[in-house]
Amino acid sequence: DTVPPQVVPGADPSARQLCFAWGPAEVLVCETLFGRAARALLPGCCCPALTGSVAGTGDGAPSSSHVFVVRRDQDIYIHTLRKLFNESHGIFMGLQRSEEELAGKSRKAQLVQVSKNYRSVIRACMEDMHQAAVSTRDPALQGQYSTQVSILSAMELIWNLCEILFVEAATAGPLLLRLLDWVRLHVCDVDSMVREVLSSESPSKHKLFWNVVDVFVLQGRMDEARHLLSKEASANPASMNMYKILDDLMKKMPVPSLGNTQTLTELELKWQHWHEECQRYLQDGTFASNPHMESICKILLGDEDAILEKKELMTTWYHFLVTRLLYSHPTVKPMELRFYAQSSMDLFLGGESSPEPLDMILMAAFEFEMHQVIKECSIVLSNWWFVAHLTDLLDHCKLLQSHNLYFGSNMREFLLLEYASGLFSHHSLWQLGVDYFDHCPEFGRVYLELHIERIPLSTEQKALKVLRICEQRQMHEQVRSICKIMAMKALRNNRLGSALSWSIRAKDAAFATLISDRFLKDYCEKGCFSDLDLIDNLGPSMLLSDRLTFLGKYREFHRLYGEKRFPEAARLLLTLMTAHIAPCSFWMTLLTDALPLLEQKEVIFSAEQTYELMRCLEDLTAGNPDKQKFQDDDVETTKVEMLRLALARNLARVIVKEGTVEGS
Amino acid sequence: QDNRISIWSAGDLGNAGLNGEYHGEPHLLCDIQHNGDVMDMQFLDQERIVVASSTGTVTIFRHHQNNQTLSADHRWVKAHYHVDQDTSSGGAACTGVVCNNPEIVTVGEDGRINLFRADQKDAVRTIDNADSSTLHAVTFLRTTEILTVNSIGQLKIWDLRQQRNEPSQIFSLAGDRVPLHCVDRHPNQQHIVATGGQDGMLSIWDIRQGTMPVSLLNAHEAEMWEVHFHPSDPDHLFTCSEDGSLWHWDTSTNVSEKPSFLHQGGRSTAYLSHSTMNQSVVSAWLSNDPTKDRMEITNLIPNQTLSVNSLDVLGPCLVYGTDAEAIYVNRQLFA
């Protein structure tokens, strides 16, 4: 099986060197300027490494280069198909969650219902697409829509057959009835003709009258055929006799029933009798004078040539197959279908035309080769939707043996992974893909982890949705990564509150420290806090990082100072330094903040506290002797001196105060 | 990306069948292209809709009912932006919009509050950096006061008459500063406010007293996107969430006396029953005691899969939209 080569319009390997890179669902192809010793290239040799090209020495003149994005799956961008993807997602989820405990018949009924739901979604989509094709004025679009309609119709045809043969696994008897329904539903090229004849004033005079009668007979619609024939009989009394006999034969024809009213052997017996009766009438020449009625009788007898004569009315070989079965082997068993199918196709096509892909797929279905059906469909269809959902359904019917593929997972999982990966390249359908990955036990999680980080997060709401998905699946790496991205974005836009909110969500202490440092930097530069509403209301999130705690407490210090609650402020300030909550770089600022407190009229710092402060100051200045800047900087040295002086003075005052007995 | 604003007709009431069941699906009347994601929208009046976009643009669309078309009436481009309006590459998403004809208030991811008037080209007032985090939703408290909620769990009241750019009051949650996503005010009693948080918690606040919520109700398992009091029967509250559920909170005490909406003149009957009931109903939301079994909570969605992003309720109708690209209309809410 060869995949047809894709041509990227505009990319010309003979003109420019091309390089490519794989993405999650697409390929990037770009033109480069890597030099080619073009003239030295042998024809057919296109590997740049061999020619030893040197970057930049291109022989082409510099010009704008292009980057091409080659996407495999274009279908997800078709607007009308979105309903298909969304609705089928709902059905898929319902199937995964459905009761496994139901056994036997009820389970089968449930699965058949699921299959019918899928089909009705396909039909609804077909309807929409048809409407779109009819109402659009752009011929290109119209062509596209019409193609889509025929593709969807083919998909429904195949799915319906699979439902009859695999999901419902109709047995001999009901099998024929289901196949008849199937043909009636899908071969409708003749519908307009039928309508035309039925709505005319005297149908029996219509030139297509007998064609319509034949159609009804070929599709086993006996009542409708008899009804039309009665019109002919009333218009043409001479043939009344013939009509009565034919009508009687058609009425008496034994057909399989859906209930258990008769066994197969009974049916076969009855049918044999009826067949012989028809035979007798034909041989007696009863219908000799009316060729139409005679051919109908021949059809009733299952005469292949007579049926084949009506090729144009049947239009397809599978219609021929079902008609043949109806009139020669109504009790056909499922396993016998393959023989009849093969011969029907051969007879019908007659060597004039070769089978199309659709024919091959249907043939594979009749032969009960499920894997073949799926394989053929995968090749023919441009999108994984059909095979993924059908395979999943068949898997639930326990029909696919665990057919282990090369890479460890089974076919169902492989197809679902491919389908879901395709969804992820869509800006909004990726949400559906998540659920599909969830139900791929082997590799689903890994795929999800890789894909989810690459969804573009244009708004916070989208980011929140992605985060929720990750959190629900304990994908902590991804949570951290996404929160970091959002926090960085916020930081860059100067939204410090948002940035903090993201780090709290990810419990990212490092980032919280980063944000706090930013706040402190702002404070040092401007002399006041920005975003007080945030810092004043940190609450328990303050504990996320030490720096954040410091920020909160420092702000509290300022507040206390503003409210003139000096002793408390002083205590807090001291705690900040002694408990090592404050970063060392900030100690100088803190000590400087202590200055006004030291200079107050009343004594605030106790002796203990003053000793502590002095110790801190000494720690700070003695800390790093080769801090040249510290000693050279005049402002710094002045500050230190002022502090020392203030501390000394305070100490003096407090010793006196504490030594004094306070009398009343 | 192809985003559109669409107007749908959900059919008329006269179509009810024998059992009062509604037949027929909503069908599309008209639509128009929209740039960016639709973050929020509200009717300004019978004909005009204000839409907030993820590009930071706020647009007024007009619905021409005679020929069933939509047109863009007015647009404030980059009403929300980061750092610098002229040079910023994209705007900041406008996350919430509320209207009180002709005034329109919008808030966004840039922490900015804009006050527009429908007929004026430029913003009447802009409060830059109103909040250091993202403002998620806004609603009117009184004609001159608005309520905003942000992503560090704060509920703020802003007095638009005052010129200073500070909120007049700040409320916050007690424990963790969980982001608040939606806010709604009780239609009749203006001191009762409901907010929904990122952890799915529903908080009821009495803004006359205290700075913390009166009750915290553990509701959804994921972000609560929208909360709405029923406009004419505020004993009923509706919330929708990322976890795919839509809850109906019912504090009406006496089932038999529940006002009926489907009769003519239902409004006046409702009013009568309210006034005859005692004070306990009036403060039903505030004095929430689960042991008294007064609140009925129902999940209105049978098979939940993807998030319910938005809802609205009017009379007996409820409409909501999900991430599965489906809109649901329930026309018999109290049946």
PDB file of all heavy atoms in Angstrom, chain A residues 247-272:
ATOM      1  N   ASP A 247     -50.960 -11.205  -8.413  1.00  0.00           N
ATOM      2  CA  ASP A 247     -51.202 -10.555  -7.121  1.00  0.00           C
ATOM      3  C   ASP A 247     -51.243 -11.595  -6.006  1.00  0.00           C
ATOM      4  O   ASP A 247     -50.669 -11.407  -4.930  1.00  0.00           O
ATOM      5  CB  ASP A 247     -52.535  -9.791  -7.199  1.00  0.00           C
ATOM      6  CG  ASP A 247     -52.808  -9.028  -5.916  1.00  0.00           C
ATOM      7  OD1 ASP A 247     -52.157  -7.983  -5.722  1.00  0.00           O
ATOM      8  OD2 ASP A 247     -53.638  -9.488  -5.124  1.00  0.00           O
ATOM      9  N   ASP A 248     -51.896 -12.686  -6.329  1.00  0.00           N
ATOM     10  CA  ASP A 248     -52.016 -13.753  -5.337  1.00  0.00           C
ATOM     11  C   ASP A 248     -50.641 -14.309  -4.965  1.00  0.00           C
ATOM     12  O   ASP A 248     -50.314 -14.525  -3.798  1.00  0.00           O
ATOM     13  CB  ASP A 248     -52.903 -14.857  -5.906  1.00  0.00           C
ATOM     14  CG  ASP A 248     -53.256 -15.863  -4.846  1.00  0.00           C
ATOM     15  OD1 ASP A 248     -53.720 -15.429  -3.764  1.00  0.00           O
ATOM     16  OD2 ASP A 248     -53.020 -17.055  -5.060  1.00  0.00           O
ATOM     17  N   LEU A 249     -49.816 -14.537  -6.016  1.00  0.00           N
ATOM     18  CA  LEU A 249     -48.475 -15.071  -5.774  1.00  0.00           C
ATOM     19  C   LEU A 249     -47.677 -14.133  -4.876  1.00  0.00           C
ATOM     20  O   LEU A 249     -47.015 -14.553  -3.923  1.00  0.00           O
ATOM     21  CB  LEU A 249     -47.732 -15.256  -7.103  1.00  0.00           C
ATOM     22  CG  LEU A 249     -48.109 -16.477  -7.938  1.00  0.00           C
ATOM     23  CD1 LEU A 249     -47.326 -16.472  -9.244  1.00  0.00           C
ATOM     24  CD2 LEU A 249     -47.825 -17.760  -7.175  1.00  0.00           C
ATOM     25  N   MET A 250     -47.789 -12.847  -5.228  1.00  0.00           N
ATOM     26  CA  MET A 250     -47.012 -11.873  -4.452  1.00  0.00           C
ATOM     27  C   MET A 250     -47.492 -11.800  -3.012  1.00  0.00           C
ATOM     28  O   MET A 250     -46.707 -11.638  -2.086  1.00  0.00           O
ATOM     29  CB  MET A 250     -47.106 -10.489  -5.116  1.00  0.00           C
ATOM     30  CG  MET A 250     -46.298 -10.420  -6.401  1.00  0.00           C
ATOM     31  SD  MET A 250     -46.716  -9.004  -7.395  1.00  0.00           S
ATOM     32  CE  MET A 250     -45.834  -7.730  -6.569  1.00  0.00           C
ATOM     33  N   LYS A 251     -48.783 -11.937  -2.839  1.00  0.00           N
ATOM     34  CA  LYS A 251     -49.325 -11.863  -1.476  1.00  0.00           C
ATOM     35  C   LYS A 251     -48.863 -13.047  -0.641  1.00  0.00           C
ATOM     36  O   LYS A 251     -48.591 -12.939   0.538  1.00  0.00           O
ATOM     37  CB  LYS A 251     -50.855 -11.847  -1.552  1.00  0.00           C
ATOM     38  CG  LYS A 251     -51.505 -11.531  -0.226  1.00  0.00           C
ATOM     39  CD  LYS A 251     -52.966 -11.168  -0.383  1.00  0.00           C
ATOM     40  CE  LYS A 251     -53.783 -12.377  -0.777  1.00  0.00           C
ATOM     41  NZ  LYS A 251     -55.228 -12.081  -0.788  1.00  0.00           N
ATOM     42  N   LYS A 252     -48.791 -14.199  -1.309  1.00  0.00           N
ATOM     43  CA  LYS A 252     -48.510 -15.414  -0.549  1.00  0.00           C
ATOM     44  C   LYS A 252     -47.030 -15.644  -0.301  1.00  0.00           C
ATOM     45  O   LYS A 252     -46.667 -16.581   0.396  1.00  0.00           O
ATOM     46  CB  LYS A 252     -49.046 -16.623  -1.318  1.00  0.00           C
ATOM     47  CG  LYS A 252     -50.546 -16.773  -1.198  1.00  0.00           C
ATOM     48  CD  LYS A 252     -50.979 -18.162  -1.602  1.00  0.00           C
ATOM     49  CE  LYS A 252     -50.575 -18.473  -3.022  1.00  0.00           C
ATOM     50  NZ  LYS A 252     -51.280 -19.655  -3.549  1.00  0.00           N
ATOM     51  N   MET A 253     -46.170 -14.795  -0.877  1.00  0.00           N
ATOM     52  CA  MET A 253     -44.746 -15.077  -0.778  1.00  0.00           C
ATOM     53  C   MET A 253     -44.292 -15.151   0.678  1.00  0.00           C
ATOM     54  O   MET A 253     -44.486 -14.206   1.440  1.00  0.00           O
ATOM     55  CB  MET A 253     -43.961 -13.995  -1.503  1.00  0.00           C
ATOM     56  CG  MET A 253     -42.463 -14.177  -1.361  1.00  0.00           C
ATOM     57  SD  MET A 253     -41.590 -13.033  -2.400  1.00  0.00           S
ATOM     58  CE  MET A 253     -40.344 -12.500  -1.291  1.00  0.00           C
ATOM     59  N   PRO A 254     -43.683 -16.261   1.064  1.00  0.00           N
ATOM     60  CA  PRO A 254     -43.242 -16.382   2.455  1.00  0.00           C
ATOM     61  C   PRO A 254     -41.955 -15.575   2.688  1.00  0.00           C
ATOM     62  O   PRO A 254     -41.011 -15.679   1.919  1.00  0.00           O
ATOM     63  CB  PRO A 254     -42.965 -17.870   2.623  1.00  0.00           C
ATOM     64  CG  PRO A 254     -43.193 -18.504   1.293  1.00  0.00           C
ATOM     65  CD  PRO A 254     -43.332 -17.447   0.275  1.00  0.00           C
ATOM     66  N   VAL A 255     -42.000 -14.792   3.749  1.00  0.00           N
ATOM     67  CA  VAL A 255     -40.796 -14.036   4.110  1.00  0.00           C
ATOM     68  C   VAL A 255     -40.412 -14.362   5.546  1.00  0.00           C
ATOM     69  O   VAL A 255     -41.278 -14.723   6.343  1.00  0.00           O
ATOM     70  CB  VAL A 255     -41.027 -12.513   3.993  1.00  0.00           C
ATOM     71  CG1 VAL A 255     -40.904 -12.073   2.561  1.00  0.00           C
ATOM     72  CG2 VAL A 255     -42.351 -12.122   4.585  1.00  0.00           C
ATOM     73  N   PRO A 256     -39.160 -14.223   5.865  1.00  0.00           N
ATOM     74  CA  PRO A 256     -38.762 -14.460   7.256  1.00  0.00           C
ATOM     75  C   PRO A 256     -39.432 -13.438   8.165  1.00  0.00           C
ATOM     76  O   PRO A 256     -39.726 -12.326   7.751  1.00  0.00           O
ATOM     77  CB  PRO A 256     -37.246 -14.241   7.240  1.00  0.00           C
ATOM     78  CG  PRO A 256     -36.848 -14.217   5.816  1.00  0.00           C
ATOM     79  CD  PRO A 256     -38.032 -13.861   5.013  1.00  0.00           C
ATOM     80  N   SER A 257     -39.703 -13.866   9.364  1.00  0.00           N
ATOM     81  CA  SER A 257     -40.309 -12.935  10.314  1.00  0.00           C
ATOM     82  C   SER A 257     -39.320 -12.631  11.424  1.00  0.00           C
ATOM     83  O   SER A 257     -38.386 -13.399  11.671  1.00  0.00           O
ATOM     84  CB  SER A 257     -41.586 -13.531  10.894  1.00  0.00           C
ATOM     85  OG  SER A 257     -41.227 -14.667  11.644  1.00  0.00           O
ATOM     86  N   LEU A 258     -39.553 -11.510  12.081  1.00  0.00           N
ATOM     87  CA  LEU A 258     -38.602 -11.109  13.122  1.00  0.00           C
ATOM     88  C   LEU A 258     -38.833 -11.844  14.427  1.00  0.00           C
ATOM     89  O   LEU A 258     -37.914 -12.167  15.148  1.00  0.00           O
ATOM     90  CB  LEU A 258     -38.699  -9.595  13.367  1.00  0.00           C
ATOM     91  CG  LEU A 258     -37.905  -8.765  12.374  1.00  0.00           C
ATOM     92  CD1 LEU A 258     -38.168  -7.291  12.598  1.00  0.00           C
ATOM     93  CD2 LEU A 258     -36.421  -9.044  12.541  1.00  0.00           C
ATOM     94  N   GLY A 259     -40.070 -12.109  14.693  1.00  0.00           N
ATOM     95  CA  GLY A 259     -40.351 -12.835  15.936  1.00  0.00           C
ATOM     96  C   GLY A 259     -40.050 -14.309  15.746  1.00  0.00           C
ATOM     97  O   GLY A 259     -39.529 -14.735  14.722  1.00  0.00           O
ATOM     98  N   ASN A 260     -40.345 -15.110  16.730  1.00  0.00           N
ATOM     99  CA  ASN A 260     -40.056 -16.547  16.625  1.00  0.00           C
ATOM    100  C   ASN A 260     -41.271 -17.348  16.215  1.00  0.00           C
ATOM    101  O   ASN A 260     -41.500 -18.436  16.714  1.00  0.00           O
ATOM    102  CB  ASN A 260     -39.536 -17.057  17.973  1.00  0.00           C
ATOM    103  CG  ASN A 260     -38.117 -16.599  18.196  1.00  0.00           C
ATOM    104  OD1 ASN A 260     -37.385 -16.424  17.249  1.00  0.00           O
ATOM    105  ND2 ASN A 260     -37.750 -16.384  19.442  1.00  0.00           N
ATOM    106  N   THR A 261     -42.061 -16.777  15.309  1.00  0.00           N
ATOM    107  CA  THR A 261     -43.314 -17.459  14.983  1.00  0.00           C
ATOM    108  C   THR A 261     -43.112 -18.703  14.131  1.00  0.00           C
ATOM    109  O   THR A 261     -43.905 -19.617  14.135  1.00  0.00           O
ATOM    110  CB  THR A 261     -44.273 -16.520  14.236  1.00  0.00           C
ATOM    111  OG1 THR A 261     -43.540 -15.888  13.195  1.00  0.00           O
ATOM    112  CG2 THR A 261     -44.823 -15.472  15.184  1.00  0.00           C
ATOM    113  N   GLN A 262     -42.031 -18.716  13.388  1.00  0.00           N
ATOM    114  CA  GLN A 262     -41.795 -19.930  12.596  1.00  0.00           C
ATOM    115  C   GLN A 262     -40.313 -20.242  12.582  1.00  0.00           C
ATOM    116  O   GLN A 262     -39.466 -19.371  12.641  1.00  0.00           O
ATOM    117  CB  GLN A 262     -42.314 -19.732  11.173  1.00  0.00           C
ATOM    118  CG  GLN A 262     -41.684 -18.527  10.495  1.00  0.00           C
ATOM    119  CD  GLN A 262     -42.111 -18.373   9.065  1.00  0.00           C
ATOM    120  OE1 GLN A 262     -42.812 -19.203   8.499  1.00  0.00           O
ATOM    121  NE2 GLN A 262     -41.674 -17.306   8.439  1.00  0.00           N
ATOM    122  N   THR A 263     -40.007 -21.508  12.484  1.00  0.00           N
ATOM    123  CA  THR A 263     -38.603 -21.896  12.419  1.00  0.00           C
ATOM    124  C   THR A 263     -38.145 -21.815  10.971  1.00  0.00           C
ATOM    125  O   THR A 263     -38.936 -21.684  10.050  1.00  0.00           O
ATOM    126  CB  THR A 263     -38.402 -23.335  12.897  1.00  0.00           C
ATOM    127  OG1 THR A 263     -39.121 -24.179  11.984  1.00  0.00           O
ATOM    128  CG2 THR A 263     -38.924 -23.512  14.292  1.00  0.00           C
ATOM    129  N   LEU A 264     -36.840 -21.927  10.811  1.00  0.00           N
ATOM    130  CA  LEU A 264     -36.285 -21.842   9.474  1.00  0.00           C
ATOM    131  C   LEU A 264     -36.769 -22.981   8.579  1.00  0.00           C
ATOM    132  O   LEU A 264     -37.042 -22.788   7.392  1.00  0.00           O
ATOM    133  CB  LEU A 264     -34.751 -21.869   9.554  1.00  0.00           C
ATOM    134  CG  LEU A 264     -34.097 -20.510   9.824  1.00  0.00           C
ATOM    135  CD1 LEU A 264     -32.594 -20.657   9.862  1.00  0.00           C
ATOM    136  CD2 LEU A 264     -34.494 -19.513   8.768  1.00  0.00           C
ATOM    137  N   THR A 265     -36.869 -24.162   9.143  1.00  0.00           N
ATOM    138  CA  THR A 265     -37.297 -25.301   8.325  1.00  0.00           C
ATOM    139  C   THR A 265     -38.705 -25.100   7.819  1.00  0.00           C
ATOM    140  O   THR A 265     -39.009 -25.356   6.655  1.00  0.00           O
ATOM    141  CB  THR A 265     -37.229 -26.611   9.142  1.00  0.00           C
ATOM    142  OG1 THR A 265     -36.951 -26.297  10.496  1.00  0.00           O
ATOM    143  CG2 THR A 265     -36.183 -27.533   8.593  1.00  0.00           C
ATOM    144  N   GLU A 266     -39.570 -24.575   8.699  1.00  0.00           N
ATOM    145  CA  GLU A 266     -40.945 -24.291   8.273  1.00  0.00           C
ATOM    146  C   GLU A 266     -40.936 -23.333   7.104  1.00  0.00           C
ATOM    147  O   GLU A 266     -41.631 -23.532   6.101  1.00  0.00           O
ATOM    148  CB  GLU A 266     -41.736 -23.656   9.415  1.00  0.00           C
ATOM    149  CG  GLU A 266     -42.296 -24.639  10.416  1.00  0.00           C
ATOM    150  CD  GLU A 266     -42.969 -23.898  11.558  1.00  0.00           C
ATOM    151  OE1 GLU A 266     -43.381 -22.727  11.356  1.00  0.00           O
ATOM    152  OE2 GLU A 266     -43.076 -24.481  12.646  1.00  0.00           O
ATOM    153  N   LEU A 267     -40.130 -22.267   7.294  1.00  0.00           N
ATOM    154  CA  LEU A 267     -40.066 -21.243   6.250  1.00  0.00           C
ATOM    155  C   LEU A 267     -39.585 -21.845   4.946  1.00  0.00           C
ATOM    156  O   LEU A 267     -40.142 -21.577   3.872  1.00  0.00           O
ATOM    157  CB  LEU A 267     -39.144 -20.106   6.702  1.00  0.00           C
ATOM    158  CG  LEU A 267     -38.867 -19.033   5.658  1.00  0.00           C
ATOM    159  CD1 LEU A 267     -40.158 -18.300   5.313  1.00  0.00           C
ATOM    160  CD2 LEU A 267     -37.840 -18.037   6.162  1.00  0.00           C
ATOM    161  N   GLU A 268     -38.558 -22.682   5.046  1.00  0.00           N
ATOM    162  CA  GLU A 268     -38.005 -23.264   3.819  1.00  0.00           C
ATOM    163  C   GLU A 268     -39.035 -24.116   3.098  1.00  0.00           C
ATOM    164  O   GLU A 268     -39.167 -24.061   1.871  1.00  0.00           O
ATOM    165  CB  GLU A 268     -36.772 -24.091   4.170  1.00  0.00           C
ATOM    166  CG  GLU A 268     -35.496 -23.270   4.151  1.00  0.00           C
ATOM    167  CD  GLU A 268     -34.287 -24.076   4.580  1.00  0.00           C
ATOM    168  OE1 GLU A 268     -34.298 -25.304   4.360  1.00  0.00           O
ATOM    169  OE2 GLU A 268     -33.349 -23.471   5.125  1.00  0.00           O
ATOM    170  N   LEU A 269     -39.788 -24.876   3.871  1.00  0.00           N
ATOM    171  CA  LEU A 269     -40.825 -25.723   3.278  1.00  0.00           C
ATOM    172  C   LEU A 269     -41.850 -24.888   2.541  1.00  0.00           C
ATOM    173  O   LEU A 269     -42.170 -25.139   1.372  1.00  0.00           O
ATOM    174  CB  LEU A 269     -41.519 -26.522   4.380  1.00  0.00           C
ATOM    175  CG  LEU A 269     -40.995 -27.947   4.580  1.00  0.00           C
ATOM    176  CD1 LEU A 269     -41.609 -28.554   5.812  1.00  0.00           C
ATOM    177  CD2 LEU A 269     -41.323 -28.800   3.345  1.00  0.00           C
ATOM    178  N   LYS A 270     -42.351 -23.888   3.265  1.00  0.00           N
ATOM    179  CA  LYS A 270     -43.380 -23.039   2.662  1.00  0.00           C
ATOM    180  C   LYS A 270     -42.856 -22.402   1.394  1.00  0.00           C
ATOM    181  O   LYS A 270     -43.547 -22.330   0.373  1.00  0.00           O
ATOM    182  CB  LYS A 270     -43.754 -21.913   3.656  1.00  0.00           C
ATOM    183  CG  LYS A 270     -44.751 -22.305   4.711  1.00  0.00           C
ATOM    184  CD  LYS A 270     -45.360 -21.053   5.327  1.00  0.00           C
ATOM    185  CE  LYS A 270     -45.598 -21.283   6.808  1.00  0.00           C
ATOM    186  NZ  LYS A 270     -45.805 -20.069   7.554  1.00  0.00           N
ATOM    187  N   TRP A 271     -41.610 -21.946   1.539  1.00  0.00           N
ATOM    188  CA  TRP A 271     -41.034 -21.252   0.403  1.00  0.00           C
ATOM    189  C   TRP A 271     -40.896 -22.188  -0.776  1.00  0.00           C
ATOM    190  O   TRP A 271     -41.154 -21.821  -1.915  1.00  0.00           O
ATOM    191  CB  TRP A 271     -39.674 -20.665   0.799  1.00  0.00           C
ATOM    192  CG  TRP A 271     -39.134 -19.734  -0.220  1.00  0.00           C
ATOM    193  CD1 TRP A 271     -39.444 -18.441  -0.387  1.00  0.00           C
ATOM    194  CD2 TRP A 271     -38.202 -20.072  -1.252  1.00  0.00           C
ATOM    195  NE1 TRP A 271     -38.760 -17.906  -1.453  1.00  0.00           N
ATOM    196  CE2 TRP A 271     -37.981 -18.912  -2.012  1.00  0.00           C
ATOM    197  CE3 TRP A 271     -37.526 -21.234  -1.635  1.00  0.00           C
ATOM    198  CZ2 TRP A 271     -37.132 -18.865  -3.101  1.00  0.00           C
ATOM    199  CZ3 TRP A 271     -36.672 -21.190  -2.719  1.00  0.00           C
ATOM    200  CH2 TRP A 271     -36.480 -20.013  -3.450  1.00  0.00           C
ATOM    201  N   GLN A 272     -40.510 -23.409  -0.527  1.00  0.00           N
ATOM    202  CA  GLN A 272     -40.344 -24.388  -1.608  1.00  0.00           C
ATOM    203  C   GLN A 272     -41.651 -24.563  -2.366  1.00  0.00           C
ATOM    204  O   GLN A 272     -41.698 -24.541  -3.597  1.00  0.00           O
ATOM    205  CB  GLN A 272     -39.880 -25.713  -1.010  1.00  0.00           C
ATOM    206  CG  GLN A 272     -39.162 -26.627  -1.983  1.00  0.00           C
ATOM    207  CD  GLN A 272     -37.954 -25.975  -2.616  1.00  0.00           C
ATOM    208  OE1 GLN A 272     -37.203 -25.250  -1.952  1.00  0.00           O
ATOM    209  NE2 GLN A 272     -37.774 -26.195  -3.898  1.00  0.00           N
TER     210      GLN A 272
END
